[in-house]
């Protein structure tokens, strides 16, 4: 099969399918937020997107097309991305199992590209699970710099670890189970200079040896105690738990106390991360295919997991907290991308506006690479919105900030 190519102007004008039988509570949510329920009739017209391992795609495309029994349509505006029919499943394919491809929506890929990661950057992914964007960031870094992934859910971050290892992208990475609103550990290589003369306290002499999946008995016991104490998620006062570090992450041979030392605001300005991605937890209402799954999971599950007023209010607080903390960990001159897969103004422009009013050193940046993207402007200048009708992708909001000198 010959690989096809799709560009923004090639998107098909298709008749919308019959809308999902959305429950009254969700229709009320859409109405309150000015969203069109007909968007949810487009789930079966949005392609599935895959990303091929960079550098090897030319010899792999025909092989993968043969295995998946479909054409791979090259996405002209996004390097290494291909669109396939939405009904095609990739998990059972050799290409997926051997780490040649992974599924990631094109809009999520665009948000990652917007960060403009350069070789040598220290990069933080503050909401790393489920891991596709983390893998893409690792690919963009190559053989220099460092990547730190953080997530509040240990089982989800463990899946990120599996992905990094599967795609041979973990060498320069480290993963922390932690609350993203309070995580405060700076990049290793930039932090060590400020640690000279620091007094080592209890267990400070412990050294990072090369990482192994076999944990020491005392570490397993510590984990058991933590799990039996209550919630499986860390609180804002919990110490971060390091569950993976690669051989070139800068940790091997260092004293643990130095590496895990929390930072100050002043230290972050000079020794913080060059790039931070905050793909914040949200109501997922823009992930059309995700909402479609609730037809099978049960609409009551949607009410409990998405629509409860208390949860929605907590989410807005969480989103602002993640954005503030991610920006705090950024070095002066560094850039941060904030994104959500919600279509609502409340979780996007309103959060951005509130953040800007509280943080005078933050300034919105134009995303130059977006000039060729099939997206539209948000209601705040320089912000972007993807949606099924405009982009043939899931819904996604993207805003990029730079940290100015205080």
């Amino acid at each position: 099969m010959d690989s096809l190519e799709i560009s923004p102007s090639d998107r098909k004008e298709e008749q919308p399918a019959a809308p999902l039988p959305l429950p009254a509570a969700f229709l009320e949510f859409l109405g309150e937020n000015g969203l069109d329920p007909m968007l949810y009739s487009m789930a079966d017209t949005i392609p599935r997107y895959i990303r091929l391992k960079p550098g090897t795609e030319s010899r792999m495309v025909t092989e993968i097309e043969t295995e998946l029994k479909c054409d791979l349509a090259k996405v002209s505006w996004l390097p290494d991305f291909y669109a396939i029919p939405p009904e095609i499943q990739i998990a059972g394919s050799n290409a997926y199992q051997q780490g040649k491809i992974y599924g990631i929506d094109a809009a999520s890929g665009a948000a990652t590209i917007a960060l403009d990661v350069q070789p040598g950057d220290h990069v933080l992914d503050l909401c790393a699970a489920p891991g596709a964007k983390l893998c893409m960031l690792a690919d963009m870094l190559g053989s220099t710099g460092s990547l730190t992934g953080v997530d509040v859910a240990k089982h989800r971050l463990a899946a990120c670890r599996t992905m990094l290892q599967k795609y041979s992208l973990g060498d320069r990475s480290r993963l922390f189970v932690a609350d993203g609103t309070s995580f405060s550990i700076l990049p290793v290589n930039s932090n060590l200079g400020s640690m000279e003369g620091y007094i080592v306290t209890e267990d400070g002499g412990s050294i990072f040896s090369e990482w192994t999946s076999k944990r020491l008995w005392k570490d397993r016991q510590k984990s058991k105690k933590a799990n039996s104490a209550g919630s499986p998620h860390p609180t804002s006062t919990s110490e971060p738990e390091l569950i993976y570090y690669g051989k070139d992450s800068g940790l091997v041979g260092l004293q643990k106390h130095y590496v895990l030392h929390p930072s100050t605001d002043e230290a972050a300005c000079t020794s913080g991360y060059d790039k931070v991605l905050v793909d914040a937890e949200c109501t997922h209402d823009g992930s059309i295919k995700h909402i479609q799954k609730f037809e099978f999971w049960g609409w009551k599950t949607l009410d409990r997991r998405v629509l409860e007023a208390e949860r929605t209010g907590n989410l807005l607080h969480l989103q602002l907290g993640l954005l503030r903390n991610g920006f705090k960990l950024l070095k002066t001159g560094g850039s941060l991308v904030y994104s959500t897969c919600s279509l609502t103004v409340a979780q996007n422009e309103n959060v951005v506006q509130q953040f800007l009013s509280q943080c005078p050193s933050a300034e919105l940046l134009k995303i130059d690479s977006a000039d060729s993207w099939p997206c539209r402007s948000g209601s705040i200048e320089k912000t972007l919105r993807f949606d099924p009708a405009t982009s043939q992708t899931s819904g996604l909001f993207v805003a990029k900030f730079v940290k100015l000198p205080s």
Side-chain angles (χ1 to χ4, degrees):
M1 300 182 194
D2 294 328
S3 64
L4 308 174
E5 183 163 324
I6 58 169
S7 64
S9 59
D10 294 332
R11 296 193 306 277
K12 298 177 182 178
E13 294 293 331
E14 299 193 44
Q15 292 297 319
L20 283 174
L22 300 171
F26 190 57
L27 290 171
E28 183 180 351
F29 171 85
L30 297 178
E32 289 172 349
N33 288 280
L35 302 176
D36 184 0
M38 285 305 293
L39 280 173
Y40 298 89
S41 67
M42 304 182 70
D44 294 332
T45 69
I46 303 171
R48 179 186 295 270
Y49 293 95
I50 59 173
R51 186 171 188 265
L52 273 62
K53 199 172 179 66
T56 54
E57 62 176 82
S58 57
R59 64 182 173 80
M60 285 166 45
V61 170
T62 302
E63 173 189 331
I64 295 171
E65 286 180 324
T66 301
E67 184 181 13
L68 296 181
K69 298 181 174 59
C70 70
D71 291 318
L72 270 62
K74 189 174 180 65
V75 179
S76 64
W77 53 276
L78 206 58
D80 306 316
F81 274 72
Y82 290 81
I84 60 177
E87 68 275 8
I88 298 296
Q89 301 296 317
I90 67 171
S93 67
N94 289 329
Y96 176 80
Q97 293 172 359
Q98 294 171 8
K100 297 177 182 178
I101 61 175
Y102 54 86
I104 175 173
D105 191 78
S108 295
T112 309
I113 289 286
L115 204 52
D116 191 27
V117 170
Q118 299 297 315
D121 278 346
H122 295 297
V123 182
L124 170 64
D125 186 350
L126 200 55
C127 309
K133 289 186 287 297
L134 190 73
C135 286
M136 190 170 168
L137 288 170
D139 255 334
M140 293 162 70
L141 267 180
S143 59
T144 60
S146 70
L147 176 60
T148 300
V150 175
D151 203 89
V152 74
K154 186 171 183 177
H155 68 286
R156 284 166 56 82
L157 197 64
C160 293
R161 178 178 61 199
T162 300
M163 283 192 72
L164 287 174
Q165 293 173 305
K166 174 180 177 179
Y167 294 101
S168 302
L169 294 170
D171 284 354
R172 310 195 74 82
S173 304
R174 55 183 189 162
L175 300 177
F176 289 95
V177 180
D179 182 345
T181 64
S182 59
F183 179 76
S184 61
I185 296 174
L186 296 183
V188 171
N189 295 338
S190 63
N191 190 36
L192 287 179
S194 64
M195 296 303 299
E196 292 180 8
Y198 189 83
I199 298 172
V200 179
T201 56
E202 184 181 354
D203 197 42
S206 183
I207 300 292
F208 281 107
S209 56
E210 195 160 321
W211 186 85
T212 172
S213 59
K214 295 179 180 178
R215 291 190 298 168
L216 296 175
W217 179 86
K218 65 177 182 179
D219 292 332
R220 291 197 302 269
Q221 294 303 110
K222 184 178 178 181
S223 179
K224 283 181 183 178
K225 287 181 181 178
N227 290 335
S228 63
S231 171
H233 295 335
T235 66
S236 59
T237 57
S238 301
E239 288 186 5
E241 180 185 358
L242 181 66
I243 67 164
Y244 176 76
Y245 54 94
K247 63 184 180 66
D248 297 319
S249 62
L251 271 64
V252 177
L254 296 181
Q255 290 187 341
K256 293 184 179 181
H257 192 78
Y258 284 3
V259 174
L260 304 178
H261 176 63
S263 67
T264 63
D265 292 1
E266 183 180 354
C269 286
T270 57
S271 304
Y273 295 90
D274 300 284
K275 307 286 168 61
V276 176
L277 177 63
V278 180
D279 186 39
E281 174 66 12
C282 67
T283 51
H284 302 287
D285 54 270
S287 182
I288 309 299
K289 292 181 179 179
H290 182 76
I291 295 297
Q292 187 183 38
K293 292 175 183 176
F294 283 102
E295 187 174 13
F296 305 98
W297 293 343
W299 293 115
K300 287 185 178 179
T301 308
L302 177 69
D303 289 347
R304 186 178 71 252
R305 292 175 57 180
V306 177
L307 302 178
E308 285 182 353
E310 182 180 356
R311 170 175 160 77
T312 304
N314 289 341
L315 272 179
L316 299 176
H317 180 74
L318 172 64
Q319 289 157 353
L320 185 59
L322 289 167
L323 178 51
R324 275 196 303 237
N325 194 49
F327 193 79
K328 178 179 135 181
L329 295 170
L330 198 62
K331 68 163 53 173
T332 300
S335 54
L336 177 150
V337 166
Y338 172 79
S339 62
T340 84
C341 61
S342 173
L343 296 171
T344 68
V345 171
Q347 297 175 68
N348 297 308
E349 284 93 344
N350 287 4
V351 171
V352 167
Q353 197 69 56
Q354 190 174 351
F355 169 68
L356 288 171
S357 70
Q358 297 174 358
C359 191
S361 62
E363 180 177 281
L364 279 168
L365 278 180
K366 180 181 182 294
I367 300 172
D368 293 327
S369 53
D371 290 343
S372 62
W373 293 351
C375 58
R376 57 188 174 87
S377 176
S379 61
I380 297 177
E381 188 181 3
K382 299 178 183 176
T383 64
L384 303 176
R385 282 180 169 273
F386 291 82
D387 65 69
T390 305
S391 318
Q392 270 211 315
T393 65
S394 287
L396 198 78
F397 172 87
V398 185
K400 184 175 183 178
F401 303 87
V402 64
K403 190 171 192 175
L404 304 172
S406 299

